[in-house]
Amino acid sequence: MAGGGLITPKMASSILSTPPGQTNPYPSPTRTGTIPFTPPGTSLETETWYALWGELSSSTVPLIVLHGGPGVAHNYLLPTSHLSSAPWSRTVILYDQLGCGKSTHLPDKNGDTDFWTPQLFMRELENLLKALDIETYDILGQSWGGMLGAQYATTRPKGLRRLIIADSPADMVSWVETADKLRKLLPEDVQETLTRCEKEGTTESEEYEQAVIEYLRRFVCRVWPFPKELADSLAQLKEDNTVNMTMNGPSEFFVTGSLKTWNIISELHKIQIPVLLVNGKYDEAQDVVMEPYFREITGRVKWVRFAESSHTPQLEETDDFILAVGNFLEAAL
């Protein structure tokens, strides 16, 4: 909101809240489309799908939203489209990263750790920025998207103005250690099922999936049944888990993929722009896995922790999440 002050909780609530039992509709995208993308070192012809709320011009600073997973499509981040409405009126862009959602799927690349890398997705982001002729922008990355956004920010890309890291670890070893501790809080029979299936190699089974859902309900999204936005993203992941299995693995805490040793703590000092950190009290991204961002980033850092949320505060405490992000984006640089 050009020239305006910060939005109060009362103002935000009147804009976003809907009566109980009614769906809070999202604003319709101004446009959707696809962008051709040739992954580096290949001759593949792929496409990146995107949705845009608002308008692009030399005077706008769009918010680019990076989804998690890897390979969990954009749907569960649709609440960020509220930022395109008054009083914030920001241009917002969501897109599906290569290999999931409405972008090109590459199931033949399942298990190809040389192909599915953070560098691939950074090049895809740069390709999107170039195709849309965006020079100045902000980034909001959630979970894996926050990891990607942070790694991208360490390269000090020209035009990146602010960064929001939501529910993301700074290294995967700490992530797995924390997930193991949270796993021990599950009912004993659920723990037994998880352990047995992992030992037997039956992590593709319905039994294992149901046990994982018990973890998700406590530490990923505490709204049950899951909101449609999250259910849609998870359904797409189940249909094609190529990217997630290659880079992550069978579950949040059984990480066997190429990100198993990912760690950018030593590079975080290179981030010198304003940063907002976001997580929830019950988040699998507990404070300990996000603390390195707060400690090592040399730019101004603000940390917001949501008291009633786990890993998806944009779905669990939507009003407060949009308020925190909107005010951060509007604060003076």
Side-chain angles (χ1 to χ4, degrees):
M1 183 171 62
L6 297 184
I7 311 304
T8 66
K10 184 177 180 181
M11 292 167 64
S13 180
S14 67
I15 294 163
L16 299 176
S17 295
T18 54
Q22 294 187 22
T23 301
N24 189 12
Y26 300 113
S28 298
T30 306
R31 73 173 192 257
T32 62
T34 57
I35 296 170
F37 174 53
T38 300
T42 77
S43 58
L44 293 172
E45 297 180 0
T46 71
E47 292 183 328
T48 301
W49 177 91
Y50 73 94
L52 183 148
W53 286 261
E55 300 292 341
L56 291 173
S57 71
S58 59
S59 62
T60 60
V61 181
L63 176 67
I64 315 297
V65 182
L66 310 180
H67 66 69
V72 177
H74 77 281
N75 307 66
Y76 78 103
L77 286 168
L78 280 170
T80 59
S81 66
H82 284 305
L83 290 162
S84 68
S85 301
W88 296 281
S89 301
R90 293 297 304 268
T91 299
V92 177
I93 299 173
L94 277 72
Y95 71 98
D96 286 332
Q97 296 162 24
L98 186 64
C100 76
K102 298 179 181 179
S103 293
T104 302
H105 289 232
L106 297 169
D108 290 346
K109 291 289 187 180
N110 198 344
D112 189 344
T113 56
D114 290 332
F115 180 80
W116 300 110
T117 64
Q119 288 71 27
L120 167 69
F121 293 106
M122 288 193 283
R123 298 295 83 78
E124 183 184 28
L125 171 58
E126 291 174 337
N127 185 68
L128 178 140
L129 294 170
K130 181 178 180 180
L132 297 180
D133 196 24
I134 296 171
E135 295 184 354
T136 305
Y137 55 96
D138 300 324
I139 285 178
L140 185 158
Q142 197 277 335
S143 197
W144 148 251
M147 296 161 61
L148 176 62
Q151 184 165 347
Y152 184 62
T154 65
T155 69
R156 297 176 179 172
K158 183 179 179 181
L160 178 57
R161 193 185 69 152
R162 304 180 198 240
L163 173 65
I164 301 159
I165 302 173
D167 321 283
S168 309
D171 79 284
M172 286 298 285
V173 171
S174 295
W175 171 267
V176 173
E177 290 175 349
T178 301
D180 283 342
K181 293 178 182 177
L182 296 176
R183 172 173 168 158
K184 290 181 172 63
L185 301 177
L186 296 172
E188 289 188 8
D189 61 323
V190 175
Q191 294 185 53
E192 187 278 328
T193 298
L194 292 169
T195 301
R196 175 169 46 78
C197 289
E198 288 163 2
K199 287 182 177 179
E200 295 174 353
T202 56
T203 56
E204 297 282 346
S205 66
E206 182 72 18
E207 183 182 24
Y208 188 77
E209 179 182 322
Q210 291 304 312
V212 170
I213 287 176
E214 290 302 313
Y215 177 92
L216 301 182
R217 289 178 59 178
R218 289 165 173 79
F219 308 116
V220 173
C221 184
R222 293 166 65 85
V223 178
W224 185 258
F226 287 153
K228 182 179 185 301
E229 302 90 334
L230 179 58
D232 287 346
S233 290
L234 293 176
Q236 293 180 68
L237 174 63
K238 187 174 182 179
E239 184 176 328
D240 183 359
N241 65 0
T242 296
V243 185
N244 193 261
M245 280 296 293
T246 303
M247 298 184 72
N248 184 72
S251 68
E252 309 294 298
F253 36 77
F254 192 41
V255 178
T256 58
S258 58
L259 289 177
K260 186 175 183 177
T261 58
W262 182 89
N263 184 330
I264 60 164
I265 294 175
S266 65
E267 301 295 308
L268 293 177
H269 67 278
K270 297 177 182 178
I271 302 178
Q272 299 177 338
I273 57 175
V275 173
L276 173 66
L277 303 178
V278 169
N279 71 332
K281 177 180 179 180
Y282 306 100
D283 205 328
E284 57 182 344
Q286 290 283 294
D287 292 355
V288 66
V289 306
M290 295 196 65
E291 189 274 337
Y293 291 120
F294 190 77
R295 183 183 70 243
E296 301 294 338
I297 288 174
T298 53
R300 186 171 74 248
V301 182
K302 180 178 180 179
W303 191 340
V304 176
R305 188 170 180 259
F306 293 97
E308 302 299 328
S309 291
S310 56
H311 196 55
T312 51
Q314 76 278 5
L315 295 171
E316 297 165 283
E317 294 180 77
T318 304
D319 291 3
D320 290 340
F321 178 87
I322 296 299
L323 175 66
V325 172
N327 280 343
F328 170 75
L329 294 174
E330 294 300 317
L333 286 170

